[in-house]
Amino acid sequence: MSEQTPPRKAPVIPPDMKAFNEKLIAEFRANHGQLSGPMAGRSLLILTTTGAQSGKQRSIVLGFGRRGDQLVVIASDNGAARAPAWYHNLLAHPTATIELGPDRFEVRATTAAPEERAELAKAVPYLAQQQTLTEREIPIVVFERV
């Protein structure tokens, strides 16, 4: 982080993030990917990974961008000091399921190489803002259909 750039406040996180995500997932699935309220119109997908340690299926709602046929997300966890659990799950089990609107399909996840980051970052313009919230380099994850 640059000494000239003051750290930004992290976005307001719901007190019960698990309950917030469960509600979003239920609404997403019930309405074929359409959400209401402050989440309406956002580019969101549901990612279901296999737990790295538990082996259980875990689902999360994520914002995404596109680069051609690829879906691009960032493993920010709202600027947390550590990458989110879903990212660690993908490192252990890179095949996952994505729900996008009414569609559900399998993908293979890869982490962007250093030389790919600048181009892929264009697909997720909020990466720069999220990066100001943490010292770690936020991974960029690319999903391709299998």
Side-chain angles (χ1 to χ4, degrees):
M1 192 179 306
S2 167
E3 290 182 15
Q4 298 162 334
T5 305
R8 295 185 186 188
K9 290 179 86 174
V12 176
I13 307 296
D16 186 346
M17 196 64 190
K18 183 177 180 184
F20 177 78
N21 273 313
E22 287 173 356
K23 181 181 173 196
L24 276 180
I25 290 168
E27 182 181 0
F28 187 103
R29 288 176 173 158
N31 297 306
H32 307 289
Q34 300 300 310
L35 296 172
S36 60
M39 302 305 283
R42 295 182 185 250
S43 295
L44 300 173
L45 57 79
I46 296 176
L47 171 67
T48 301
T49 61
T50 301
Q53 295 177 349
S54 71
K56 294 181 181 178
Q57 297 294 291
R58 307 278 187 202
S59 296
I60 185 83
V61 176
L62 297 172
F64 73 95
R66 291 181 185 269
R67 186 179 87 168
D69 291 338
Q70 298 172 321
L71 300 173
V72 183
V73 301
I74 58 172
S76 172
D77 201 12
N78 294 307
R82 187 171 189 266
W86 62 261
Y87 179 70
H88 296 287
N89 292 346
L90 288 173
L91 292 176
H93 306 284
T95 300
T97 302
I98 285 184
E99 294 170 60
L100 188 57
D103 298 327
R104 182 183 177 104
F105 49 92
E106 286 204 5
V107 295
R108 180 146 182 93
T110 56
T111 301
E115 63 274 11
E116 299 174 294
R117 286 184 62 84
E119 186 63 31
L120 288 167
K122 295 174 186 175
V124 281
Y126 46 90
L127 171 61
Q129 185 276 332
Q130 287 288 296
Q131 189 62 70
T132 67
L133 302 175
T134 184
E135 298 275 330
R136 70 180 169 88
E137 182 176 78
I138 295 173
I140 298 174
V141 180
V142 178
F143 296 112
E144 295 190 63
R145 285 183 188 242
V146 293

